[in-house]
Amino acid sequence: MSLKTILKVEDLTKYFVVGRSLFNSGEVVKAVDGVSFSLMQGETLSLVGESGCGKSTTGRLVLRLIPPTRGTVIYQGQDIAKLPADKMRKLRSDMQIIFQDPWSSLNPRMTVKEIIGEGLRRQPELSRAQRKKMVLEMMETVGLRPEHYDRHPHEFSGGQRQRLGVARALIMRPKLVVADEPLSALDVSVQAQVVNLLARLKRDLGLSYLFISHDLAIVEHISDRIAVMYLGKLMELASKRQLFAQPRHPYTQALFSAAPTTEVGREKNRIILSGDVPSPLNPPKGCRFHTRCPLAQEDCGQLEPEFKLLAPGHWVACHHPLND
Amino acid sequence: MESLLSIENLEVSFHTSQGVAQAVCGVSYDIGRGEVLGVVGESGSGKSVTALSVLRLVPYPGRISAGRINYEGRDLLKVPEKQMRKVRGDRISMIFQEPMISLNPAFTIENQLTEALHNHRKMSQKEARERAIEMLALVDIPDPAKRIKDYPHHLSGGMRQRVMIAEALLLDPDVLLADEPTTALDVTVQAQVLDLMHRLNERIGTAIMLITHNLGVVAESARRVVVMYCGRVVEQGPVKEIFEEARHPYTQGLLKSIPKPGGRGKLFEMEGIVPSLFELPQGCPFNPRCPQRRPECAQSAPPWREVQPGHHALCWLYA
Amino acid sequence: MFWKKFLHNPIGMIGVVVITLNILMAAFAPVLATHNPLTINVAQQSEEPSAQHWFGTDEFGRDIYSRVIYGSRISLYISLFSVLVATFLGVAIGATSGYYGGWMDNLIMRVMDAIMSFPAILLAIGILAVLGPNLSNVVLALGIVYTPRFARIVRGSVLSLKEKEFVEASKAIGNGDAYIIFRHILPNCTAPLIVQATASLAYAILAESMLSFLGLGAPPPAPSWGNILSDARNFMMDNAMMTVFPGLAITLAVLGFNLVGDALRDVLDPRLK
């Protein structure tokens, strides 16, 4: 793996205002609040966390599908958060997204040829025959058969639709792919097919992935590094090995211990957190995790911990990290 | 273990404009008193339809076309509807994946919980409320006397699922059918709910049929496992044997295709996709995807054989 | 799939037949008519139906049968074009409003609400009073009156469609708003639009008749169902048959469009599938 940084995100923040009307200034949802990380070329960085932690919003901010409230997204030296729309459009083909829901992510009225070929529309130098060739090649790459060329999405299974979504993204020859829970809508026996496909394409095409997921088994399998999010903030970021061997944040530890595994009868020191994830409308003061943290101390509720480097490559936002 | 509820040769078909889909095809299994039975399968395996059949709640256009459901010496499929209503919610209750749509948004928690106590137990409002509060405390709802006045939308997803469990266990049923009870929940909340169901099973002795697609959940919660594929039980046995020495190629493939801790490299891929129920393959429905298929697999239905004591598989390999 | 379902819907088929007959009547009016609808014949004023004048004659001795046949032309013309105007304006307004959102959406939709708060006919009369009654102004007036219904439907669909991931995917590919609206959003709004358009055709026929009845529609002597009815009203006591035929024509046309509208709703509404 080369160590060239392809993407550098700093202090990325997105506040949504909800319930605003003529007579009400609304409430602020701090969906993503000051997130910083970088992604190396050829790397898979996973963003994990529970629903509402802001991982999907982060993915969309990185691609500027929604504008950030604050912060910078530096892609190969350019801050795309501030790039004018026309320049941004030119960069779009470099970064693509694969979605969670293989049903709502494909326009039901378009055929395979139109869905995959849509991205080639902006390359007028291509002839009709060239386009067809490229679409067919991409279909082969993701494991769709040529006779699928003129079919509509409803004629496919979930796994095949996901392949279609992957093909649509990859025909743009992207360098960076945000995969937003690409497996969670699929059956177990089909997940493995898509995991292998993503891994193979990464190798063959030199892609970098920002892989968003809540499934820790898959994340462990596919990632190089992992970032753990909770209520809009990064809690911990480290290499897969570091994180699984020695999580330093109590939330990471609880999250990992809560994930069910298929090992029968192994005694687990399961940490069962009390309560639910608080609402991002009104996140707790101080450390956002302190209301559920089994190790919380007095200062956790008052002062927000900094996201700091504890060991080489191991970032943690905690006043009292584990094994310290 | 004493058998409490047994399903025998159940067949359920759905009659649609596209043809007849055999959603459940000759399913037999039983659940013992106080047992936690895991039922795993992918979408379309018929695991939920089987559970709904136990309560005779198969949705239109589905129809139970054959089989028996033995419970307390009776066949529940033949019991008159009026008596069946006494069984539902009272002796056998069910919880679903999405707690928000299972609770009526127009009524308070108290209304929903006490209704069953009025109807089935003829309790007074005061008694019913006390019982409901006791039940909410049992499922770890903090401050139950206050929360009972809340409406469902006041509660978080995890709380709602706990309220659903409280409602289901209110009348002390013999069996709880739990259909993907944690699928809509976050991992940490899922751990809470599974832990709760465990404690309740040990404490009140309600048998739990845990229906899920999540192999991890089953491995950690169930004592015995039933694996379903295309409307059939393909393997059944003690949880340790199923996860460590699976015999049916489908179960083996399923287990191999999930990533292992510390694993890297290529995952095992099962060939193909789950077939449509309208066009099931001849013989064993798994044969086109099976790495160990033999000529007979595509011709006739495989036999159900005991491969070890208490461990069965539906496969030609063990004929 | 759509046609299969639609053809199996008997109500819808009755509607289709009625509408087809109506259209044929308008198209072949010169062939079907037995007299010139405008020819005045003082010798045959207000006659009862007879072998020569199937529906009788009006106070100027004009053949009512021929006038009803020709009248279908104006009625269909006005309803068709006013609905086209309304669809076009409604789609444009609804799509912009829903897609871009924000204060502009708020403003536009409040204006639409304001238009909808007037009784349709009253508003049309008001517009015609300003513009003056002629055929194209009737089309315009009715078009404006019906615009909010289309705008609302389109806006509603756009609001849900713009959140769909295929729209995000198209953005990620680098496509602009116009392309996304025309390629991804509008094609997926067609079902509710078709239903609304058919229902509106029925309203428009009725509205045109009312306007003509009030003297604000097609200017005489050109026949439209509304003004035939209006002329006949003065002689209702002497010759009731004069009112029956134009009334029947209006009823049938409205019924036809309503039946088709209902059938389309059944077939196209995903909630009923």
Side-chain angles (χ1 to χ4, degrees), chain C residues 1-215:
Chain C
M1 197 61 208
F2 165 74
W3 286 111
K4 202 178 135 200
K5 268 190 159 171
F6 189 73
L7 294 175
H8 278 93
N9 189 319
I11 303 270
M13 286 322 289
I14 295 175
V16 168
V17 169
V18 173
I19 293 173
T20 314
L21 288 178
N22 236 309
I23 293 169
L24 289 175
M25 188 158 96
F28 295 103
V31 183
L32 293 169
T34 50
H35 296 75
N36 182 329
L38 302 180
T39 306
I40 294 173
N41 187 340
V42 194
Q44 297 177 327
Q45 281 174 331
S46 304
E47 283 189 8
E48 297 270 322
S50 64
Q52 200 197 353
H53 299 287
W54 296 345
F55 292 177
T57 60
D58 66 6
E59 84 264 35
F60 298 112
R62 295 177 296 197
D63 180 51
I64 292 183
Y65 167 72
S66 305
R67 284 181 70 75
V68 168
I69 295 283
Y70 272 95
S72 66
R73 288 189 156 185
I74 287 181
S75 293
L76 283 184
Y77 168 84
I78 288 181
S79 58
L80 200 66
F81 281 93
S82 58
V83 169
L84 274 180
V85 168
T87 311
F88 181 77
L89 289 177
V91 167
I93 291 172
T96 330
S97 189
Y99 189 78
Y100 292 102
W103 63 268
M104 197 178 66
D105 174 40
N106 243 319
L107 183 73
I108 291 176
M109 289 328 284
R110 293 301 81 77
V111 171
M112 292 294 124
D113 287 348
I115 296 179
M116 275 189 110
S117 66
F118 287 100
I121 287 298
L122 211 61
L123 185 62
I125 291 172
I127 297 172
L128 284 172
V130 176
L131 300 175
N134 69 41
L135 224 49
S136 43
N137 285 345
V138 173
V139 167
L140 191 64
L142 289 178
I144 292 173
V145 169
Y146 292 134
T147 295
R149 302 165 187 233
F150 288 91
R152 278 192 160 188
I153 283 177
V154 172
R155 175 177 174 269
S157 305
V158 171
L159 281 183
S160 73
L161 286 166
K162 76 169 177 181
E163 303 293 334
K164 287 272 163 109
E165 290 171 338
F166 58 77
V167 169
E168 278 195 304
S170 193
K171 260 186 222 168
I173 285 170
N175 288 315
D177 293 341
Y179 176 84
I180 290 175
I181 290 174
F182 283 104
R183 191 76 181 95
H184 288 291
I185 291 187
L186 290 181
N188 284 299
C189 307
T190 44
L193 265 181
I194 290 172
V195 173
Q196 179 63 37
T198 358
S200 296
L201 281 169
Y203 289 124
I205 286 187
L206 216 52
E208 183 279 330
S209 307
M210 281 193 236
L211 290 175
S212 297
F213 187 85
L214 296 170

Side-chain angles (χ1 to χ4, degrees), chain A residues 67-290:
Chain A
T69 307
R70 195 176 68 222
T72 53
V73 178
I74 295 166
Y75 172 76
Q76 298 198 323
Q78 293 187 77
D79 182 1
I80 61 169
K82 296 192 183 66
L83 216 57
D86 55 324
K87 284 199 175 150
M88 185 62 217
R89 272 206 206 177
K90 289 204 185 86
L91 260 185
R92 286 249 179 247
S93 62
D94 268 19
M95 326 173 189
Q96 288 298 310
I97 179 164
I98 300 167
F99 295 97
Q100 167 176 12
D101 182 347
W103 275 265
S104 87
S105 62
L106 303 174
N107 187 339
R109 291 183 178 264
M110 285 164 76
T111 58
V112 168
K113 144 185 90 180
E114 292 168 326
I115 290 170
I116 301 179
E118 188 181 346
L120 303 176
R121 194 182 71 93
R122 302 177 56 78
Q123 300 172 28
E125 68 279 6
L126 294 174
S127 72
R128 191 179 282 249
Q130 278 172 312
R131 273 175 217 210
K132 178 163 183 178
K133 189 166 158 272
M134 286 172 76
V135 170
L136 284 169
E137 275 171 7
M138 189 44 72
M139 285 170 67
E140 196 190 333
T141 308
V142 300
L144 291 169
R145 288 196 297 276
E147 65 260 33
H148 294 150
Y149 190 67
D150 282 312
R151 297 211 186 145
H152 283 93
H154 67 86
E155 297 171 67
F156 294 99
S157 67
Q160 283 175 311
R161 284 164 155 262
Q162 207 52 295
R163 286 169 196 268
L164 206 48
V166 171
R168 168 178 61 193
L170 294 189
I171 201 159
M172 306 298 294
R173 308 245 161 253
K175 300 191 176 75
L176 166 67
V177 173
V178 173
D180 185 9
E181 302 256 15
L183 307 166
S184 58
L186 304 178
D187 272 323
V188 181
S189 69
V190 179
Q191 281 186 353
Q193 299 171 353
V194 178
V195 168
N196 287 343
L197 172 70
L198 291 175
R200 191 188 84 220
L201 293 171
K202 177 185 149 183
R203 208 175 46 239
D204 293 355
L205 305 174
L207 302 172
S208 310
Y209 285 135
L210 183 61
F211 191 84
I212 297 164
S213 178
H214 68 275
D215 186 329
L216 291 166
I218 287 170
V219 163
E220 187 184 356
H221 183 84
I222 207 168
S223 328
D224 298 307
R225 287 190 304 147
I226 298 170
V228 181
M229 273 186 95
Y230 185 80
L231 276 181
K233 290 216 169 253
L234 285 186
M235 296 283 122
E236 187 162 8
L237 192 162
S239 75
K240 170 170 77 180
R241 207 158 22 85
Q242 284 171 314
L243 207 64
F244 275 89
Q246 198 183 57
R248 304 296 295 270
H249 197 289
Y251 177 63
T252 312
Q253 193 187 33
L255 190 68
F256 286 4
S257 83
T261 64
T262 51
E263 289 169 2
V264 178
R266 195 186 63 159
E267 272 304 304
K268 281 180 203 128
N269 301 320
R270 172 154 294 163
I271 299 160
I272 295 191
L273 295 176
S274 58
D276 283 296
V277 182
S279 155
L281 261 179
N282 202 352
K285 278 206 173 36
C287 172
R288 297 201 172 177
F289 183 57
H290 86 269

Side-chain angles (χ1 to χ4, degrees), chain A residues 35-57:
Chain A
V35 163
S36 307
F37 60 86
S38 49
L39 181 65
M40 306 297 159
Q41 190 147 23
E43 181 189 40
T44 300
L45 173 67
S46 287
L47 270 182
V48 300
E50 298 178 277
S51 55
C53 73
K55 55 192 192 298
S56 285
T57 308

Side-chain angles (χ1 to χ4, degrees), chain A residues 284-305:
Chain A
K285 278 206 173 36
C287 172
R288 297 201 172 177
F289 183 57
H290 86 269
T291 51
R292 298 174 78 200
C293 183
L295 306 171
Q297 296 179 25
E298 208 171 310
D299 53 342
C300 298
Q302 285 150 10
L303 200 66
E304 192 154 345

Side-chain angles (χ1 to χ4, degrees), chain B residues 33-67:
Chain B
R33 194 168 285 283
E35 186 185 30
V36 180
L37 176 74
V39 180
V40 283
E42 299 179 282
S43 50
S45 62
K47 56 190 192 301
S48 298
V49 176
T50 307
L52 289 167
S53 306
V54 170
L55 292 176
R56 297 217 320 240
L57 291 175
V58 178
Y60 181 82
R63 228 172 36 213
I64 300 175
S65 41

